[in-house]
Amino acid sequence: EVWSNTRMDIDLSKGKITLVVAPTDLRYGYYSLAKVANEYLKIDVTKGNDWVVFISKQRCIAKIIHCDEYGSLLITRKLHLGRYQQLLLKAEGPASKELSVEELQSYLNGKELEVKRTNLLYN
């Protein structure tokens, strides 16, 4: 088989990015994570409109799931240093947060998305 004419495009700008902030058992593979997304967040990843990001309990591993017309995708990212920031959400509602592509890229590189503000002006 010749693969030279086929490409796998990972374009995070196509679809909504949802970060699951509650720790998830990342021994799970694609199908188990897709089931969690569907049951708890009402996100059907198989429709191809969503990227769902799960974080491990120790906050050093992230898994991203997505699906397109060619197949399903699972990406694993393990930080060598540091941990993914623990984000806070309202007590009611789903334990997830929508992110932009830039926010996700920053988060997956171990950068902080949220800081405690001490004044009204940007520091």
Side-chain angles (χ1 to χ4, degrees), residues 71-95:
S72 54
L73 177 72
L74 179 128
I75 301 170
T76 302
R77 170 91 168 156
K78 183 177 186 323
L79 287 179
H80 294 298
L81 297 172
R83 300 190 184 285
Y84 295 110
Q85 182 181 17
Q86 185 172 12
L87 302 177
L88 301 176
L89 295 174
K90 293 180 180 179
E92 60 280 343

Side-chain angles (χ1 to χ4, degrees), residues 7-64:
R7 310 178 10 192
M8 184 175 70
D9 293 325
I10 299 176
D11 185 355
L12 295 169
S13 67
K14 294 180 180 176
K16 183 174 84 169
I17 300 169
T18 302
L19 173 66
V20 179
V21 299
T24 307
D25 185 349
L26 291 190
R27 293 177 292 181
Y28 289 168
Y30 172 85
Y31 294 105
S32 295
L33 292 173
K35 185 177 180 181
V36 168
N38 195 13
E39 287 183 9
Y40 294 100
L41 301 172
K42 306 301 181 222
I43 298 173
D44 184 356
V45 180
T46 62
K47 291 183 177 180
N49 301 321
D50 293 278
W51 298 83
V52 183
V53 183
F54 297 91
I55 304 299
S56 67
K57 183 177 180 182
Q58 299 300 321
R59 297 189 333 272
C60 58
I61 299 173
K63 284 190 176 180
I64 304 168

